[in-house]
Amino acid sequence: PTQLAARASYLLRGNDLGTMTSAAPKLYPHMWSWDAAFVAVGLAPLSVERAVVELDTLLSAQWRNGMIPHIVFANGVDGYFPGPSRWECRRLATNAPAGPDTSGITQPPVHAIAVQRILDHSRRHGRTTRAVAAEFLDRRWVDLMRWHRWLAHARDPKQHGRITLYHGWESGMDNSPRWDRAYANVVVGDLPPYRRADIDVVDPAQRPSDREYDRYLWLVEQMRRCGYDDFQLASTMSFAVEDVFVTAVFALACEVLAGIGEDYRMPHADVRELYEWADYFRAGVIATADPRSGAARDFDLRADEWIGTETLAMFAPLLCGGLPRATERSLLRLFEGPRFCGHPDLRYALPPSTSPVSKDFRPREYWRGPVWPVMSWLFSWVFARRGWAERSFMLRAEGLRQAGDGSFAEYYDPFTGDPLGSMQQSWTAAAVLDWLG
Ligand code: DGY
């Protein structure tokens, strides 16, 4: 274990570009929003100061409307598509920041968890380190509030208590079967030509297809045409879904941030607002859940229909809580049973992104089946927080067994345990560091 931790910290140092850690050295040579939060979780046990720098870099790219963009581009680094010249946010979006180049969409709001971990670790240190963390919180509290407020308002246009996304990339689970129907309704128009960079680095069989990429790029084109304007996106985008997993993460993050706000004596009105959002969005998640199994669903705003898939999205209520006790127990049984972690052919008892018994399951295709270590980490952290120590411990033990191959892969084949996608993925190393920290 100490050797694995040493390798993980060596990896993060190798991916460190100075004030940001690239998500992965070749495939993702920039800063991604939710990657950065998880990276900060992994940096915190190594250096609270460096973890703070990571979040500072991300937050200095925050948009004027409060959005944290999904990519902050490293200066002068090529090799990723779509890059700054495809997004052109500074030219087209009035809300884009003056500073670094960014993309024009967002990603799951896991950042409060990173702040929590930074504060946890800072308390193990002396006065100087504690002061660094507390000063960071003082300085960035307003920005964290602006981020949550933007999600709560701009991204819940129907006031359903669920976060609306206008691009599958915003879910972080780009090509999950969750979005197949919604993408089927995206009719690609006059798309300027492009060349993918990802399949130069990773076996195309482990990445989204060209057909999917056309749709991804078409949505970017639609966003450009309306200047990335929150109000116009809601009416013009051909892809619009209420993401139950992101909503659950948001409800959780609001609760975590509210707790931090209480501990560190932030304004009462902010803390109250955070608890209100937590309640409201938790209710939005629970309203989608099957009354017997507790499994949650996404909603397609364009087709006006529910999206029920056998994917991680089903388990959203486990992240934010709020189910009746008996229903929660059946959802936990589903999570641990033969359709997910307990499938008899799994190499490790970890949640696959899509159930192996689903017709949509593909063991090696990105979010259509592989196990993502960062998801195992998220569930293990939340389970510990919710008082399920044994379950949390099991995920950690299995996650560490999987990581024992030392590749720090982005995702793994659930059956063979083969490492897939990008190797040296920063957030995989971060998960390991937190588990061993
Ligand atoms: C990618 O490029 O694959 C990312 O997931 C999009 O953000």
Side-chain angles (χ1 to χ4, degrees), residues 31-248:
M31 171 180 262
W32 264 257
S33 167
W34 74 329
D35 294 69
F38 290 119
V39 164
V41 168
L43 288 171
L46 302 176
S47 160
V48 165
E49 286 79 0
R50 183 62 187 78
V52 161
V53 168
E54 197 72 13
L55 293 187
D56 262 331
T57 300
L58 180 66
L59 287 167
S60 50
Q62 187 172 22
W63 282 33
R64 288 185 238 277
N65 54 354
M67 178 174 85
I68 295 182
H70 106 295
I71 302 176
V72 183
F73 290 105
N75 260 330
V77 173
D78 291 330
Y80 177 78
F81 181 84
S85 60
R86 188 73 174 203
W87 293 97
E88 279 197 299
C89 292
R90 218 190 335 268
R91 187 169 76 80
L92 299 172
T94 47
N95 279 319
D101 281 317
T102 74
S103 69
I105 58 174
T106 196
Q107 251 184 350
V110 290
H111 311 82
I113 299 174
V115 176
Q116 177 72 64
R117 293 307 284 146
I118 287 172
L119 295 169
D120 291 344
H121 282 284
S122 77
R123 283 196 287 267
R124 300 182 186 174
H125 294 272
R127 198 152 14 116
T128 328
T129 303
R130 283 207 304 275
V132 167
E135 185 272 338
F136 163 77
L137 186 64
D138 270 337
R139 188 159 43 79
R140 291 299 189 180
W141 179 260
V142 179
D143 299 329
L144 293 166
M145 284 302 297
R146 287 203 303 132
W147 163 228
H148 280 230
R149 188 168 291 115
W150 174 77
L151 284 161
H153 293 170
R155 287 310 185 93
D156 184 20
K158 302 276 185 206
Q159 302 196 312
H160 289 166
R162 287 186 287 274
I163 301 292
T164 295
L165 307 182
Y166 301 114
H167 197 302
W169 283 342
E170 297 197 306
S171 72
M173 302 190 188
D174 309 359
N175 73 336
S176 169
R178 297 165 68 192
W179 314 132
D180 285 354
R181 286 289 292 277
Y183 272 123
N185 287 331
V186 174
V187 180
V188 177
D190 188 11
L191 185 62
Y194 68 94
R195 201 181 150 270
R196 295 175 64 170
D198 59 319
I199 45 181
D200 295 343
V201 185
V202 169
D203 178 354
Q206 298 169 21
R207 293 285 304 171
S209 67
D210 284 343
R211 204 171 162 274
E212 285 164 331
Y213 252 74
D214 275 352
R215 281 162 181 72
Y216 300 164
L217 270 301
W218 176 244
L219 294 180
V220 172
E221 193 55 32
Q222 288 191 309
M223 291 178 172
R224 288 171 46 96
R225 291 180 186 184
C226 69
Y228 302 94
D229 177 77
D230 285 330
F231 190 74
Q232 288 193 51
L233 291 175
S235 55
T236 64
M237 291 302 293
S238 56
F239 179 103
V241 297
E242 291 174 353
D243 180 320
V244 77
F245 195 87
V246 164
T247 303

Side-chain angles (χ1 to χ4, degrees), residues 398-411:
E398 290 290 280
L400 284 172
R401 262 184 356 114
Q402 182 179 61
D405 76 330
S407 66
F408 299 99
E410 190 182 6
Y411 42 97

